[in-house]
Amino acid sequence: MSKQQYGLIGLAVMGQNLVLNIERNGYNVAVYNRTGSVTEAFMAGPAAGKNIKASYTLQDFVTSLEKPRKIQIMVKAGAAVDAVIDQLKPLLDPGDLIIDGGNSFFPDTERRAKALEAEGFQYLGLGVSGGEEGALWGPSMMPGGTESSYQLVEPILKAVSAKAKDGQPCVTFLGPGGAGHYVKMVHNGIEYGDMQLIAEAYNILHTALDLSAQEFHQIFHTWNQAELSSFLIEITANIFAKTDTETGEPLVDKILDKAGQKGTGKWTTQNALDLGATVPTITAAVDARIISALKSERVHAATILSGPPPVFEGDRHYLIESVRAALYASKICSYAQGMALLKAASDEYGYGLDAAAIPRIWRAGCIIRAELLDDITNAYVRNPDLANLLLDDQFREAVESRQAAWRYVVSTAINMGIPVPATSASLAYFDSYRSARLPANLLQAQRDYFGAHTFERVDQEGIFHADWFSGQ
């Protein structure tokens, strides 16, 4: 009796769609879900007539797979992953491969990889991006673990992954341990920044110009035809075209201004602090979601706290074009921060990340897919040791040529009392990074004054401490 080539545990929508994708690409699949009725519905519905075998016990599931077994887990990150692994281990043989395809925190992946490899098993942490549609038709996939583990499933992953315009699959081996889930975490952090920057562009134009949803649809549709072309700009244009079935009014205007989050953006910010890397645009985006959740407080504060009147008397067309320029410049800074964080993590954790390979596999399938990623890939091909994306000639020119419009947008927003935390954070990052001298000399003097933390001098080598109380 023939065995199944690939196994998947967890038949929520992402899991189901990945199974259908794998089967469509010529591989037979075994599936298992803790709740048997979910499996039954899947087999009677989307999986009907396909080369997919259902099992209703883990024992039967494992037995149905060819050796070495290749099992992907698609369950909620955290304790659920550990629980499934603990249930699987007694049923597996040395050399079998477990793949965690969820949004696991990379230290958890590091821990699991070490423990399982010590017991003779193989393990991959596989970041998967693209949502439900990506899972079905081709996601961007970010695997980390041992290279031999990746090679076991490389043909399958390449077959089911998204393909960029040049036909290249959006998957590659990234590095050891938690490297794959780390890259996925930073991808999601950049995604947070992108989404917040777009929301701020919308807010400026909405407040200043009182544009209709149809006008916004046309603006974002136009922007998607040029340098801002991306999945997020595309869906933003589509969002403004959607009407509410109950009222006939734009649906976006009926949605409560209270954003949720699953934690990957927060993880990015927290880890950046641990590494001493700076990701102010991503941090601002996380903060913006947190403050958005304080809806009742904000409604109350709006009756008590005042600001400038949100009246715009400038040129409407110039503002729209300036917001477009500011969005692109801010986006470049957000990606620069993310890529610099990946470099810092690669050095700290020994991942050996290929800076050009990462944006290359983000070019299709994932949420942040954009035309910009081809240019980022090329920047790191030109200079694999590029310290910061802003130092590449193409990106330096792109930002500097938009600098006046960028500053105009931020100052206009400030003067009108419109919060633009991510856009202004990107500009502050640019200004800080291009500054040969920052006021940190005063900070260090203060630290030495109250805590004897010492300082370095600009005119002498060595470490110094001043007697701040002598008056000299």
Side-chain angles (χ1 to χ4, degrees):
M1 184 176 177
S2 64
K3 301 278 189 174
Q4 304 300 96
Q5 296 165 290
Y6 200 82
L8 188 138
I9 297 173
L11 292 175
V13 176
M14 283 287 290
Q16 290 190 20
N17 284 358
L18 278 170
V19 169
L20 295 172
N21 186 350
I22 294 166
E23 193 273 344
R24 189 179 65 251
N25 279 282
Y27 297 91
N28 52 46
V29 190
V31 297
Y32 171 80
N33 193 78
R34 184 179 62 176
T35 305
S37 59
V38 173
T39 306
E40 291 173 352
F42 176 58
M43 295 304 297
K50 293 182 167 52
N51 204 348
I52 299 169
K53 178 180 175 59
S55 295
Y56 294 89
T57 69
L58 272 179
Q59 177 69 69
D60 288 346
F61 169 77
V62 171
T63 302
S64 72
L65 292 165
E66 65 180 24
K67 297 180 181 180
R69 300 176 180 95
K70 297 170 277 290
I71 300 171
Q72 183 166 339
I73 301 171
M74 293 296 293
V75 300
K76 186 177 180 181
V81 177
D82 289 314
V84 172
I85 291 172
D86 288 342
Q87 292 162 16
L88 275 174
K89 283 195 301 181
L91 307 174
L92 300 180
D93 295 322
D96 287 347
L97 170 62
I98 298 174
I99 304 164
D100 176 11
N103 261 340
S104 289
F105 193 25
F106 78 96
D108 290 336
T109 306
E110 299 274 2
R111 168 179 57 79
R112 291 167 186 145
K114 288 177 183 176
L116 286 164
E117 287 162 14
E119 297 179 65
F121 302 113
Q122 303 196 70
Y123 193 74
L124 279 180
L126 179 66
V128 179
S129 179
E132 297 173 13
E133 282 294 302
L136 182 59
W137 298 109
S140 172
M141 308 177 89
M142 295 153 258
T146 61
E147 195 153 7
S148 59
S149 297
Y150 172 67
Q151 288 169 353
L152 270 181
V153 290
E154 182 179 23
I156 299 175
L157 297 184
K158 283 187 172 181
V160 304
S161 69
K163 308 301 183 291
K165 288 181 179 179
D166 59 5
Q168 292 298 306
C170 290
V171 61
T172 192
F173 178 71
L174 291 171
H181 276 139
Y182 190 93
V183 172
K184 176 58 163 55
M185 178 188 76
V186 175
H187 164 284
N188 285 23
I190 294 171
E191 177 186 312
Y192 272 55
D194 261 6
M195 293 172 71
Q196 179 63 27
L197 289 169
I198 293 169
E200 291 175 13
Y202 154 68
N203 196 30
I204 293 167
L205 296 178
H206 183 266
T207 304
L209 306 181
D210 193 27
L211 300 176
S212 68
Q214 183 55 41
E215 287 174 309
F216 273 117
H217 166 71
Q218 188 56 54
I219 287 170
F220 279 93
H221 176 75
T222 299
W223 288 359
N224 195 49
Q225 309 308 307
E227 77 280 2
L228 285 170
S229 175
S230 65
F231 172 71
L232 285 171
I233 294 291
E234 177 187 348
I235 68 167
T236 301
N238 295 341
I239 285 167
F240 285 113
K242 180 70 173 177
T243 56
D244 178 27
T245 55
E246 295 182 12
T247 65
E249 298 175 10
L251 180 58
V252 68
D253 294 337
K254 300 300 179 184
I255 297 175
L256 185 68
D257 56 320
K258 184 177 178 181
Q261 55 181 315
K262 290 186 176 180
T264 46
K266 179 184 70 176
W267 292 345
T268 306
T269 291
Q270 290 172 329
N271 180 254
L273 291 172
D274 291 340
L275 294 179
T278 178
V279 290
T281 307
I282 297 169
T283 301
V286 174
D287 287 342
R289 293 198 188 192
I290 293 170
I291 202 167
S292 80
L294 305 177
K295 176 64 174 178
S296 58
E297 287 186 46
R298 291 188 290 111
V299 170
H300 177 62
T303 66
I304 298 172
L305 304 176
S306 62
V311 176
F312 178 73
E313 296 178 342
D315 183 279
R316 292 170 63 89
H317 178 73
Y318 181 72
L319 180 62
I320 293 170
E321 286 305 303
S322 295
V323 168
R324 172 180 178 163
L327 177 54
Y328 189 62
S330 297
K331 184 183 178 82
I332 290 171
C333 285
S334 183
Y335 277 86
Q337 294 160 33
M339 295 303 296
L341 175 58
L342 287 167
K343 183 178 186 302
S346 185
D347 293 342
E348 177 69 19
Y349 304 129
Y351 286 154
L353 297 176
D354 180 344
I358 294 169
R360 183 181 294 122
I361 64 171
W362 287 346
R363 292 180 299 160
C366 68
I367 302 302
I368 64 171
R369 59 186 185 264
E371 294 294 327
L372 172 67
L373 287 158
D374 276 314
D375 295 333
I376 295 176
T377 299
N378 292 335
Y380 286 100
V381 169
R382 286 192 293 270
N383 181 4
D385 298 319
L386 186 65
N388 190 289
L389 194 60
L390 292 170
L391 300 179
D392 176 79
D393 285 346
Q394 180 178 348
F395 286 102
R396 175 187 56 78
E397 192 280 331
V399 171
E400 289 188 345
S401 66
R402 292 167 173 83
Q403 191 175 162
W406 194 9
R407 295 184 189 282
Y408 170 73
V409 168
V410 171
S411 62
T412 297
I414 290 170
N415 289 335
M416 293 180 64
I418 304 170
V420 286
T423 308
S424 56
S426 285
L427 180 57
Y429 174 81
F430 172 74
D431 282 337
S432 295
Y433 192 68
R434 69 175 186 82
S435 295
R437 183 177 175 84
L438 292 168
N441 56 317
L442 179 56
L443 296 178
Q444 200 60 21
Q446 292 169 334
R447 295 182 73 242
D448 190 56
Y449 191 111
F450 65 67
H453 292 292
T454 71
F455 55 87
E456 296 175 83
R457 295 178 62 104
V458 298
D459 56 351
Q460 300 177 41
E461 293 289 329
I463 304 298
F464 300 88
H465 168 61
D467 179 3
W468 297 99
F469 305 100
S470 68
Q472 301 298 319

